[in-house]
Amino acid sequence: VSTPANDYDFYWSPDGKTLVYVSENGANSDIYTVDVATGVSRRLTTDPDEDDSPVYSPDGKSIIFVRGVNGRQIVSIPADGGTERVILDSAFIQGPRPSPDGKWLAYSKRTAAAVTNVFVVPVGGGQEINVTRWTGNNVAPVWSPDGQQITFLG
């Protein structure tokens, strides 16, 4: 990527052929992909709210990211662009990471008590589950390869 814009949050596709990233190459931060072989970038989002923390789903078919100031939504979009789908509408969300089977998302979220915990939610949407439940700053969840455990900084 070679633009005068601020570009960050790069994440590889599962096949290693593209990168998804955030660019401030407009009025706000949007999600882009770049073909590694050609260097051609493509803008996927144009919402006026800020987008960040993009990651590919394990099958590479979709991109999951956080939208809004103070991370108010987790959103999914097809990797080639198209119709967006809100997975979770909440607040203070950061760093969503899909499970290896692509069925769950783990993420950090600051609660009303100003405590940051790790939560999971089904990718299809549904009730979020607090999996840490103690005070502290529990961030950066990462799934084990078998999807049975989540590690995080705490």
Side-chain angles (χ1 to χ4, degrees):
V1 176
S2 179
T3 69
N6 187 20
D7 302 322
Y8 52 94
D9 278 353
F10 289 88
Y11 194 90
W12 286 99
S13 64
D15 65 9
K17 294 181 179 179
T18 59
L19 288 164
V20 62
Y21 65 100
V22 176
S23 181
E24 295 175 358
N25 193 18
N28 63 319
S29 58
D30 289 308
I31 305 298
Y32 287 72
T33 58
V34 60
D35 182 292
V36 175
T38 66
V40 174
S41 290
R42 180 172 183 215
R43 184 178 183 179
L44 297 183
T45 65
T46 58
D47 194 273
D49 277 338
E50 296 178 10
D51 297 332
D52 66 30
S53 304
V55 295
Y56 276 92
S57 62
D59 64 8
K61 293 181 180 179
S62 62
I63 295 168
I64 298 158
F65 60 95
V66 175
R67 171 166 289 150
V69 175
N70 295 321
R72 66 177 176 80
Q73 291 180 325
I74 296 178
V75 180
S76 175
I77 188 170
D80 294 333
T83 303
E84 297 175 2
R85 180 178 61 83
V86 175
I87 296 171
L88 180 68
D89 198 350
S90 190
F92 303 108
I93 300 166
Q94 59 185 4
R97 293 292 183 260
S99 61
D101 65 6
K103 295 180 181 180
W104 292 88
L105 288 175
Y107 55 94
S108 298
K109 181 175 107 168
R110 191 175 70 200
T111 66
V115 173
T116 302
N117 280 312
V118 174
F119 289 77
V120 295
V121 69
V123 169
Q127 185 66 37
E128 60 183 345
I129 302 164
N130 183 339
V131 297
T132 51
R133 299 180 194 203
W134 62 76
T135 60
N137 189 27
N138 305 306
V139 297
V142 177
W143 291 91
S144 63
D146 65 3
Q148 297 299 307
Q149 296 181 28
I150 300 170
T151 59
F152 56 91
L153 298 174

